Amino acid sequence: AQTVTQSQPEMSVQEAETVTLSCTYDTSESDYYLFWYKQPPSRQMILVIRQEAYKQQNATENRFSVNFQKAAKSFSLKISDSQLGDAAMYFCAYRSYADSNYQLIWGAGTKLIIKP
Amino acid sequence: DAGVIQSPRHEVTEMGQEVTLRCKPISGHDYLFWYRQTMMRGLELLIYFNNNVPIDDSGMPEDRFSAKMPNASFSTLKIQPSEPRDSAVYFCASSSRGVAFFGQGTRLTVV
């Protein structure tokens, strides 16, 4: 069975600085998706970025980028130029590529604090 | 598109009462998921549907929980009778081509 581990329960960063949130996963599959979701105090889960395992290029969305290391089964999220609005819980998630399995496997989350 | 719409946003009910949570998925999405989130257990998948058909309900905690999807634009999660330990945030999410989009959740408090 697949598992997702986020080893940092909480991280803090100064506004405008860069922070990296870590995520590791375990799977025997070769094709899969990885996601980062953000949950601000408003509690809605918002998709931040996604990565297909077959793509070697790291995904980027504006200030958010990932460092995807397939062999190491690592999928970290880098937030550049941190803003107060980035304060939230961040969840890493895994999904099999198989059409028959749309379940997301979730990490425990990392609480990100932005210091003004 | 307005995104996934859940109602109500907040629900407070007395133990033993029936609670119905509602969800309208994004139009065109063929998967619908119900999740429960608590501090102790994190995000738990309760049940998911594909083209209105329940595929996996192994996460439904007890027979007190039931979910239906009568058509592509509506789903309900019912708890009858409700208990204080059911207090949580319940999320509905819909998906197409692998990416899940979430509603704002319903915060349920059972007193």
Side-chain angles (χ1 to χ4, degrees), chain A residues 9-71:
Chain A
E10 187 175 294
M11 292 281 286
S12 62
V13 63
Q14 205 72 35
E15 191 177 4
E17 297 292 307
T18 295
V19 64
T20 298
L21 309 183
S22 65
C23 172
T24 58
Y25 57 95
D26 190 24
T27 184
S28 59
E29 298 177 327
S30 59
D31 291 325
Y32 46 86
Y33 295 99
L34 294 164
F35 305 90
W36 278 99
Y37 280 87
K38 165 185 176 181
Q39 187 177 35
S42 66
R43 81 170 178 246
Q44 183 168 13
M45 297 286 281
I46 302 166
L47 178 67
V48 175
I49 200 165
R50 79 167 181 174
Q51 175 83 41
E52 288 92 340
Y54 63 85
K55 290 186 178 179
Q56 293 186 339
Q57 187 172 8
N58 289 324
T60 299
E61 288 287 343
N62 301 314
R63 298 182 296 107
F64 298 86
S65 61
V66 298
N67 183 3
F68 174 48
Q69 301 289 327
K70 190 172 183 179

Side-chain angles (χ1 to χ4, degrees), chain A residues 33 35 37 39 42-45 47 50 91 95 99-104 106, chain B residues 9 31 33 35 37 43 45 48 56 91 97-100 102-105 107:
Chain A
Y33 295 99
F35 305 90
Y37 280 87
Q39 187 177 35
S42 66
R43 81 170 178 246
Q44 183 168 13
M45 297 286 281
L47 178 67
R50 79 167 181 174
F91 293 92
R95 206 219 90 187
D99 285 343
S100 60
N101 187 354
Y102 266 64
Q103 292 191 44
L104 284 165
W106 296 89
Chain B
R9 287 292 311 277
Y31 281 82
F33 305 84
Y35 285 91
Q37 187 180 36
L43 266 166
L45 177 64
Y48 74 97
D56 185 351
F91 285 101
R97 291 195 291 274
V99 181
F102 285 74
Q104 290 192 293
R107 180 176 294 281

